[in-house]
Amino acid sequence: MVNPVNNMPELAQAQSQGQKMHLPLERTMSSIPRAASGSSSSPMACPVAHGSSDAPDAPKDPAASAKVDQWEYPSPQQFYNALVRKGWETPEESVEMMVSIHNWINEEAWAQVRQWEEKHPGGDRSSLAAFTGRPQDLSPKARYHLFMAKLFPSSYASIRPFDRHDWTIHRPTASGAGGSSYMSGGSTQPYTARRYVIDYYHLPNDEDGNPVFSLDVRPAVDDLAAVQERIAKWWDLKKETVFGSTGGASNLPPGVRVQEER
């Protein structure tokens, strides 16, 4: 059975055939709000292609029920099952660390989405409605940077993204024709659906051996408003490069350089 929210099959918590090591079944709640229109009676899986909706029934007490409105990351066991299903050989003893890094990267991706969203009325209450993993599909921007790296290797990096996601965001809009409230909440809250493209880059490890990633998070060019947003952001970065403290061009991949901390 395929989950329509993340286009992935549901993954059980049972151990995979041939698995030798016990992996934790506990799942971590993310900080990423889940759109009410995509909600169900149980927490959904994280915004990466490893999810499952086989979590237990939603808690009944009011304090705990608020957790249902957040996306939930997969357990290490579910994560490992996803890797096995894809045919990837992964040391079982590394899975828990991989899950920690995976969760941290998605928290950073959401933080970057929020920076875009909070520029708009109601954007501070935007939520993630659905996502699609597209690791085999190069985004137009990634393809452009790879092409330019062949012509201008000192200014562009010839690094291919190791993953791509498309996230669909629901941004609350004013209630009613002349309304100004963004706080009605629930499945009846009016919203505008916006798509974001996220390219994930793995950079060389730092001097201490910690992994370093670069996330390129931006609105998908689905309409004129998104084009205007992207151009405005590009111009801000260009001014910072020329007049700011960056000191000139960089051949790092596009996006935000982030580092996994231990």
Side-chain angles (χ1 to χ4, degrees):
M1 178 179 179
V2 175
N3 187 336
V5 179
N6 58 14
N7 296 317
M8 288 296 296
E10 297 181 1
L11 296 173
Q13 293 273 33
Q15 290 191 1
S16 295
Q17 184 176 3
Q19 182 177 334
K20 300 179 178 62
M21 178 180 175
H22 171 77
L23 293 172
L25 305 181
E26 292 76 22
R27 302 175 66 179
T28 301
M29 199 68 66
S30 78
S31 69
I32 305 174
R34 195 177 81 227
S37 60
S39 63
S40 67
S41 61
S42 61
M44 295 295 290
C46 68
V48 290
H50 310 301
S52 168
S53 58
D54 64 345
D57 291 340
K60 300 298 187 283
D61 61 284
S65 62
K67 296 181 180 179
V68 178
D69 295 328
Q70 307 297 117
W71 288 82
E72 190 174 27
Y73 291 122
S75 69
Q77 182 63 63
Q78 288 176 310
F79 195 98
Y80 180 74
N81 288 345
L83 298 179
V84 170
R85 182 182 179 278
K86 291 173 180 286
W88 296 347
E89 293 186 12
T90 304
E92 296 172 21
E93 62 274 13
S94 302
V95 172
E96 289 188 65
M97 176 60 71
M98 293 175 64
V99 170
S100 297
I101 295 175
H102 151 281
N103 295 357
W104 174 83
I105 289 177
N106 281 278
E107 291 293 322
E108 178 63 28
W110 178 247
Q112 298 305 320
V113 169
R114 287 282 301 234
Q115 289 187 16
W116 288 94
E117 283 295 295
E118 289 175 357
K119 299 176 183 178
H120 303 275
D124 60 329
R125 299 187 61 248
S126 294
S127 53
L128 176 61
F131 55 90
T132 302
R134 303 175 61 182
Q136 305 304 320
D137 297 334
L138 275 179
S139 67
K141 184 176 180 180
R143 190 178 296 111
Y144 167 79
H145 276 260
L146 287 172
F147 173 76
M148 293 298 289
K150 298 178 180 179
L151 303 178
F152 307 101
S154 62
S155 299
Y156 293 85
S158 57
I159 303 176
R160 183 186 179 97
F162 69 83
D163 202 358
R164 169 190 170 178
H165 289 169
D166 287 10
W167 288 12
T168 300
I169 305 299
H170 285 182
R171 182 190 304 156
T173 57
S175 301
S180 59
S181 172
Y182 297 89
M183 301 299 292
S184 62
S187 59
T188 60
Q189 169 70 59
Y191 64 85
T192 300
R194 311 299 298 178
R195 183 169 65 94
Y196 280 80
V197 177
I198 307 173
D199 285 324
Y200 299 83
Y201 294 88
H202 189 194
L203 306 185
N205 292 350
D206 66 12
E207 59 274 11
D208 297 322
N210 298 321
V212 179
F213 302 91
S214 177
L215 276 59
D216 189 5
V217 182
R218 69 275 189 194
V221 183
D222 293 334
D223 53 31
L224 181 59
V227 174
Q228 293 171 334
E229 274 194 273
R230 295 272 292 270
I231 292 175
K233 180 67 172 179
W234 173 85
W235 179 239
D236 287 343
L237 292 175
K238 182 63 66 175
K239 288 189 295 184
E240 181 181 349
T241 299
V242 176
F243 302 108
S245 59
T246 56
S250 169
N251 66 346
L252 286 177
V256 180
R257 185 177 184 273
V258 291
Q259 178 173 307
E260 169 67 11
E261 297 179 351
R262 294 175 185 261

